[in-house]
Amino acid sequence: MTTVTTAAGAVQSVDWVAIAPPTVAAVVGLAVLVADLFLRESRKPLLGWAAVAGLALSALALLPLVGGDERATFCLTTDPAACSYVADRFTLVVQFLVLGAAFVVGLLSMSSVRDSELPPGEFWFLLLSSAAGAALLPASRDLATLVIALEVASLPAFALVGLRRGERLSSEAALKFFLSSVTATAVMLLGVSFVYAAAGSLHLGTVAEALPDADPRLSTLATVGVALTLVGFAFKTAAVPFHFWVPETYVGAPLPVAAYLSVVGKAAGLSGLILVTVVAFPSYGDVWGPALAVLAALTMTVGNVAALRQRVDRTYSAVRLLAWSSVGQAGYLLVPIAAAAYVDEPGEAVGATVAYALMYAVVNLGAFAVAAVLGRPGTAKPGGAGPGPDPAPDPDGLDVARDTAANRLTDYRGLYARSPLTALAMGFFLLCLAGLPPGVIGLFAKVTVFRSAVDAGLGWLAVVMAVNVVIALYYYLRWTAVLFRAPEREPGVAYEPEAGPEPGQESGAAATATATATATATAVRADAAAHARLAVSAPLAVSIALTAVLALALSGAPQLVLRFASGGLL
């Protein structure tokens, strides 16, 4: 710990061990950006491994903080209890989730950076910078630091979405993401200013104590401020009606960036939402509790119904389904936060959200890892492109060639024949998201969220959740079934028959035998093409294996994450 002093006495006390996780990620990001200036093009892939190692080191920096007392730094000298950075149990769990997920996204990005010809220095710097901001957010204990951390996590994400230069979809997605996010941030800042005017402080604990005793003439201002402050964090969680950026952004962004937004971006938004509601505004539970309950119901319903309506042959339908699925999952994650307004121990409700977020992070990243395998150029269709009839025009009007990564749901047909382990892993991830055995962790996590709503007296919300779980079963099971169906033979692959005698130069019986043999050989080749092995790069294989092992471990020992729902984190 370092203490900075002046003639007036102690001014600031910095606990470097407590702030190490986000600091390491930020420092490694800067180092990668500088190193990019001096490395030859052939050595640039080393930047990716350096970035992944930095994220692993950031996660390892959490170890000295585990099992110890709560640590706080950047505290006011006049009030040591008012600190801007607190490393408590909640902070450590969310930081582990964020940095672990960013590590997996780093592995996913290895192939994407090379295949899409993304600038490696900029990509890895932006990813590490965003991860540092997301890791800072759960430790923030004043409104100013919360806003700064949220923007540090968000601003690099805008650039990551639009990093595929020259692609219309990428540019449009980045612009839509940026404009909608800036609008939400502006509204949130207005709310923060109202809260500061009513409470006279930005520190969350002080705000919680000051708001109930605020001047009655400022009560309306405080109520409006509380409501507006929720907007920015609701946007990050993709809660309805702040969700409209999600499908187009996921489609336009590189697939690892979409995976990052679906997990790390959502975790950052949820942690900020938990801090401002449970820690800063507990006395205004009658305002944010019903609002979040309605948002949760709308979010899960809109997300699941939209996912249900996805056409299997639509371009990028697999990515769109994952996007709408993430919106539906955000609705489930909001349920315990809404329930926290109605119970005496909000920490247990917060634990239910964190437990569900840990499960969701593992299996959703696994699903995106498999989608990244099918999304690589040349892997969408077994056998590749070849002569034959032109493909039907895409309903979206996008010109997608047969051998490009269209990532349609139909491209997953017969995946088991091409890569059995990849198909089994994907099926397991989808069953976990659906909450069906053998994805036991998904079932238990949903039961935990469901119980939090019932315990809070939100029976209507529990019923809405149950209906949505049933709706989601259809599209998760439909995708799972596609994986194990017999693969289609590539209609565009033509095979030349073996050279043989000219017609009329052999007897009728011999001609019949030759024709039969030729037809059999052609069918065998077509079947072999349909069953061609799927090439999986080493980083993608490690990502799939890592998430699959974690999902299996959590299904075998669900108490590893469900214990947070009973112990309380705040």
Side-chain angles (χ1 to χ4, degrees), residues 336-349:
I337 305 177
Y342 300 91
V343 295
D344 297 329
E345 294 293 336
E348 295 186 2

Side-chain angles (χ1 to χ4, degrees), residues 296-337:
L298 289 174
T299 301
M300 66 178 77
T301 302
V302 170
N304 286 317
V305 171
L308 191 67
R309 299 180 62 249
Q310 292 302 307
R311 297 191 300 272
V312 296
D313 59 343
R314 184 182 186 185
T315 304
Y316 305 117
S317 56
V319 181
R320 291 180 186 275
L321 193 148
L322 285 173
W324 286 114
S325 167
S326 74
V327 173
Q329 297 288 339
Y332 305 146
L333 288 163
L334 289 173
V335 170
I337 305 177

